[in-house]
């Protein structure tokens, strides 16, 4: 039969048969099916509650919330703020004022609806607005945001005169705003009820976010400084001086939480740092510790003042500081556009005038001391506007975001701590003064907040029994024990060692005698030091690196060979400039174990604590858990088990370009769980996920952290691979749990597979959080909750597996529990066994004779990251560079690598 042409034009000749697809000798290759995307791991559900321990009734700072309007809807609208000419408003802080004005002016067009505005681009209402799209025009009488009037001449009226106004065509001077409100989404309140049943969705997260935005807006209307969900009132009673012009400002944290017991409002005390308000000159003198204004470092002053807001007298107008003048007030010519106001009579040329002359002679303002000081610039780089220093006062509640000095930090801790009963009284007062029952939006949601602390039941786990030397048992009392008349369980030998002294005033002979006496009492065999090496007095003013280099020349000339241990007396306190270079020289270049000590406290208690650290660093152990000694730890002693502690440390908030430091601590010598080693690497600034767990550099080479840890475990544990790996991850928020489970855990699995394709260890992943706001109190006593208190009911997650543990004795302030989230458990721990393991890991910390607040491997990861960060002086370029977050024009800036530890100390507890 003829075939038909596809276009239907008529018959065609039959086509020849098709050619063979492949020559006969070719074997067809099977096409691989595209890899199925494996399902993402999600945090596991709670399997059961613990039951061990003595029950205890407690109160917590969660306040029960009743919701009666679960059928309602939140309507989400996007908000765009524009100037008259259509340019978007980028100034921060203007949005709330503009939206308040919209609500006042157009209440009827909005059907009288209240709305919750997040201060940026989102607005929420309960029920719908009349239209899906609204556009309003509002005029603000005065916008005190500095971005809106930075270039206005600070003349007597505080507003531009006609000449200036003609010249001002920039949008930041506009006081007329166009507000566009467009419907974006509906959020059912029912989603909150679902979340309380453990069904978390995007809607439930959004609904809770709306409730938190209502709290923020409520605080903003009371004039508070907002820092996420923490609110700070402008009340000097809440301020404490921290030194150098920085104040601690006490406020409170307030947020809604879904818990096993229903919706609750979590209220806690919160502290932030602010700049000392008042005259700029007073702040600068305080900040620099100067005698008077004439001995100030003006380059430093310019850096610290930039972007701060000031009020200028006599107009009380508010501006943002953009810089300082190059010359003093008496010499600095006024900004170009001012000259047009000041023409000499009968002369067409403008008058050259200094800032000083302008204010004193034309404005009749008396200046007492500003003439010989630079001026504050509140204008733009090309259109400066100068104001004499003494007319400027720093506005209150301006956050200080740079790193605190160690003195400021200790002052903050000391002045912000509160005993439990005091904290409870402050929290009850905060709830009362917040007047949430008067908030119309919360009322419209049908929300009512109880004014009583929620009651919960805790359990106090017994302290684990410890083993010390000579087979003796040691029992902790109130989370503490001591080594009086006890020997260490595995004492080291201190041999081939020397004493190095950077402090001219210390008595070295007495130190050696006392140290040897204390060491022998603890069972440590200690030789006489090979040498006591004193720093040449003339070197004390040399740079730290030079001092360390010179000291090593002395060591090499006075010792017959490389020492095994160096005890170093620092020139002053521990965090002095010599510390980092000294540690780097010993650990990275020579592989020498070293212990630094402060020169001030040389009593027996101090030396015994020092010996605990030395013993751990040299491979000894101070105490062991009894169940570790037997060994009889449930689950862990039955199969080779590795325990990991993982943490990432970031530069302080003001340091945007300093690399983050990832540390992973891993256990060794199974069945022990008291010995650890650490690997530390740098990574891109502010990146929380560890990116170097698995780092394949060729088909046969992995340069990742996990390979080091796994190989060391294998060698130190009698050639056994870990069959179970328990991971403790610190420093991640709930929003990052899925990344830990699906990115970091995948890297760890890859590292295992790279060593042995058939190896399938089981994993347990636990996140340890300290940065939360839940606290527990004893209802009938002034003391903190007892050490070992565990809570896994009422305030935990509605569905997921979590618990709070206060392992330590809170001696000062209010105990902060650690919140443990069990994200994955492939091993199948019973709740009691897992909780007891976590509790026991707070008792294996070799640096002290107390239970600590978080598991030891996490603490060690902090210590390792902190110590190795001192190896390098990371220069923060954020002040000078135009780059942000480690970016350059060519892309991400390369992150400088940390030096690796020398092989002899790489597996030691150098961080102890």
């Amino acid at each position: 039969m003829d075939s038909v042409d596809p276009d239907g034009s008529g018959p065609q000749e039959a086509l020849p048969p098709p050619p063979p697809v492949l020559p006969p000798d070719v074997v067809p290759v099977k096409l691989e099916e595209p890899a199925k995307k494996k399902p993402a791991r999600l945090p596991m559900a709670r399997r059961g509650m613990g039951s061990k321990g003595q029950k205890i009734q407690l109160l917590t700072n969660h306040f029960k919330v009743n919701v009666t309007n679960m059928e309602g809807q939140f309507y989400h609208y996007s908000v765009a703020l524009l100037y008259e000419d259509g340019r978007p408003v980028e100034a921060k802080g203007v949005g709330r004022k503009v939206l308040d004005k919209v609500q006042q002016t157009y209440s009827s067009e909005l059907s009288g609806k209240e709305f919750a505005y997040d201060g940026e681009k989102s607005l929420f209402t309960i029920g719908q607005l009349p239209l899906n799209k609204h556009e309003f025009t509002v005029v603000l009488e005065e916008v005190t945001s500095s971005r809106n009037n930075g270039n206005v001449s600070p003349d007597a009226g505080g507003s531009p005169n006609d000449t200036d106004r003609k010249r001002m065509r920039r949008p930041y001077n506009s006081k007329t705003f166009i507000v566009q409100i467009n419907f974006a989404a509906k959020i059912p309140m029912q989603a909150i009820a679902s979340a309380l049943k453990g069904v978390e969705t995007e809607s439930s997260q959004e609904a809770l976010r709306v409730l938190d935005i209502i709290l923020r807006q409520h605080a903003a209307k009371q004039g508070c400084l907002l820092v996420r969900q923490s609110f700070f009132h402008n009340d000097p009673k809440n301020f404490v001086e921290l030194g150098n012009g920085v104040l601690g400002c006490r406020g409170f944290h307030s947020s809604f939480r879904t818990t096993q017991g229903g919706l609750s409002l979590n209220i806690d005390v919160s502290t932030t740092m602010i700049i000392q308000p008042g005259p700029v000159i007073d702040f600068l003198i305080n900040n620099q510790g100067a005698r008077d204004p004439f001995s100030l470092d003006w380059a430093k002053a310019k850096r610290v003042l930039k972007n701060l807001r000031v009020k200028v007298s006599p107009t009380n107008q508010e501006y943002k500081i953009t810089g300082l003048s190059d010359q003093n007030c008496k010499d600095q010519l006024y900004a170009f556009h001012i000259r047009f106001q000041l023409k000499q009579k009968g002369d067409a040329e403008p008058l050259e005038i200094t800032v000083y002359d302008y204010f004193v002679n034309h404005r009749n303002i008396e200046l007492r001391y500003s003439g010989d000081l630079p001026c504050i610039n509140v204008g733009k780089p090309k259109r400066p506007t100068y104001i004499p220093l003494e007319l400027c006062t720093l506005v209150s509640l301006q956050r200080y975001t740079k790193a605190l000095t160690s003195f400021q930090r200790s002052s903050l801790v000391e002045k912000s701590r509160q005993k439990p009963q005091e904290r409870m009284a402050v929290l009850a007062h905060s709830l009362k003064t917040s007047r949430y029952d008067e908030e119309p939006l919360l009322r419209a949601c049908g929300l009512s907040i109880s004014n009583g602390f929620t009651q919960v039941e805790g359990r106090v786990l017994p302290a684990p029994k410890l083993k010390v030397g000579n087979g003796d048992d040691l029992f902790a009392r109130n989370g503490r024990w001591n080594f009086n008349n006890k020997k260490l369980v595995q004492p080291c030998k201190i041999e081939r060692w020397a004493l190095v002294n950077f402090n001219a005033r210390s008595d070295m002979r007495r130190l050696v005698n006392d140290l040897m006496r204390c060491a022998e009492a603890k069972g440590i065999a200690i030789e006489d030091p090979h040498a006591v090496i004193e720093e040449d007095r003339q070197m004390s003013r040399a740079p730290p690196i030079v001092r360390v280099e010179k000291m090593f020349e002395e060591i090499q000339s006075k010792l017959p060979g490389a020492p095994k241990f160096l005890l170093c007396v620092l020139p002053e306190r521990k965090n002095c400039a010599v510390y980092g270079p000294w540690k780097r020289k010993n650990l990275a270049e020579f592989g020498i174990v070293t212990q630094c000590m402060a020169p001030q406290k040389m009593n027996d208690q101090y030396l015994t604590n020092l010996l605990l650290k030395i013993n751990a660093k040299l491979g000894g152990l101070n105490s062991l858990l009894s169940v570790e000694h037997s060994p009889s730890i449930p689950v862990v002693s039955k199969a080779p088990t590795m325990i990991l502690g993982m943490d990432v440390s970031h530069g302080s908030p003001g340091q945007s370009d300093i690399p983050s430091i990832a540390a992973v601590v891993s256990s060794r010598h199974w069945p022990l769980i008291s010995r650890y080693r650490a690997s530390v690497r740098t990574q891109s600034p502010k990146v929380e996920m560890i990116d170097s767990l698995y780092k394949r550099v060729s088909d046969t080479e992995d340069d990742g952290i996990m390979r080091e840890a796994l190989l060391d475990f294998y060698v130190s544990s009698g050639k056994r691979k870990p069959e179970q790996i328990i991971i403790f991850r610190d420093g991640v928020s709930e929003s990052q749990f899925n990344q830990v489970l699906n990115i970091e855990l995948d890297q760890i699995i890859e590292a295992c597979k790279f060593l042995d394709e058939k190896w399938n260890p089981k994993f347990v992943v636990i996140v340890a959080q300290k940065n939360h706001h839940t606290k527990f109190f004893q209802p009938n006593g002034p003391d903190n909750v007892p050490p070992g208190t565990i809570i896994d009911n009422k305030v935990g997650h509605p569905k997921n597996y979590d618990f709070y543990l206060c392992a330590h004795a809170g001696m000062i302030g209010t105990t902060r529990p650690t919140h443990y989230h069990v994200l994955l458990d492939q091993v199948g721990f019973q709740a009691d066994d897992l909780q007891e393991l976590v509790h026991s890991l707070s008792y294996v910390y070799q640096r002290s004779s107390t239970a600590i607040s978080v598991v030891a491997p996490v603490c060690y990861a902090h210590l390792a990251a902190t110590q190795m960060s001192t190896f390098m002086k990371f220069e923060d370029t954020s002040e000078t560079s135009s780059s942000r977050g480690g970016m350059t024009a060519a892309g991400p800036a390369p992150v400088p690598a940390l030096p690796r530890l020398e092989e002899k100390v790489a597996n030691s507890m150098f961080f102890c």
Side-chain angles (χ1 to χ4, degrees), residues 444-716:
C445 296
L447 257 67
S448 60
I449 299 163
S450 158
N451 56 11
F453 288 73
T454 298
Q455 292 186 331
V456 294
E457 186 176 83
R459 291 172 288 115
V460 182
L461 300 179
K465 191 165 67 173
L466 301 171
K467 279 280 179 194
V468 289
N470 298 334
D472 289 350
D473 289 334
L474 195 60
F475 296 92
R477 288 191 179 168
N478 198 30
R480 308 175 80 78
W481 60 97
N482 67 55
F483 287 98
N484 293 349
N485 307 317
K486 303 281 184 191
K487 292 193 169 10
L488 306 182
V489 69
Q490 288 180 17
C492 65
K493 269 188 175 179
I494 302 179
E495 53 189 359
R496 279 181 36 210
W497 73 285
L499 181 59
V500 169
N501 183 22
F502 283 99
N503 183 283
R505 295 183 300 282
S506 298
D507 180 349
M508 291 298 101
R509 183 172 295 173
R510 185 179 153 210
L511 172 59
V512 169
N513 291 340
D514 289 351
L515 185 75
M516 292 180 75
R517 176 172 51 77
C518 290
E520 282 159 15
K522 295 288 152 267
I524 294 173
I526 182 168
E527 294 178 354
D528 286 335
H530 277 230
V532 175
I533 302 162
E534 304 271 359
E535 183 182 47
D536 183 340
R537 294 263 181 108
Q538 294 175 323
M539 292 302 296
S540 64
R541 294 186 181 279
I545 292 174
V546 175
R547 293 175 76 177
V548 169
E549 291 290 346
K550 190 71 180 164
M551 187 60 88
F552 260 86
E553 287 172 21
E554 291 286 313
I555 292 165
Q556 286 165 320
S557 69
K558 291 187 178 172
L559 296 181
K564 282 190 173 176
F565 172 67
L566 288 173
L567 179 61
C568 170
V569 180
L570 294 169
E572 61 262 355
R573 65 193 186 285
K574 179 177 179 282
N575 54 351
C576 67
V578 165
Y579 181 84
W582 173 259
K583 287 284 186 183
R584 176 174 178 152
K585 194 81 178 166
N586 280 274
L587 297 173
E589 292 184 35
F590 287 95
I592 300 168
V593 175
T594 181
Q595 176 63 50
C596 292
M597 62 180 290
Q600 295 89 359
K601 323 167 186 171
M602 295 196 186
N603 56 33
D604 282 10
Q605 179 65 56
Y606 180 80
L607 293 177
T608 301
N609 286 343
L610 201 71
L611 284 161
L612 296 182
K613 298 168 74 171
I614 293 168
N615 189 50
K617 286 176 180 179
L618 287 170
L621 279 173
N622 304 325
S623 60
L624 281 173
L625 299 168
S626 217
V627 287
E628 190 179 8
H629 189 259
S630 359
S632 55
I633 306 169
V635 184
V636 170
S637 297
K638 290 187 178 133
T641 303
M642 178 194 234
I643 297 175
L644 300 178
M646 304 185 353
D647 183 40
V648 178
S649 303
H650 307 290
S652 64
Q655 301 171 311
S656 59
D657 293 347
I658 287 187
S660 292
I661 296 182
V664 176
V665 160
S666 53
S667 63
R668 50 204 312 265
H669 288 277
W670 178 82
L672 297 184
I673 59 171
S674 289
R675 275 217 172 100
Y676 294 86
R677 68 179 299 282
S679 295
V680 185
R681 308 278 174 92
T682 50
Q683 57 187 42
S684 299
K686 304 287 187 267
V687 171
E688 184 53 58
M689 290 301 116
I690 300 175
D691 63 10
S692 49
L693 293 166
Y694 172 65
K695 221 166 193 177
R696 186 167 172 171
V697 288
S698 72
D699 287 348
T700 55
E701 205 178 343
D702 163 22
D703 187 35
I705 288 174
M706 279 310 301
R707 180 186 174 86
E708 280 180 30
L710 292 165
L711 290 175
D712 172 73
F713 182 92
Y714 181 76
V715 171
S716 69

Side-chain angles (χ1 to χ4, degrees), residues 1-19:
M1 178 184 166
D2 290 340
S3 65
V4 178
D5 191 7
D7 65 6
S9 56
Q12 259 188 308
E13 281 185 30
L15 292 171

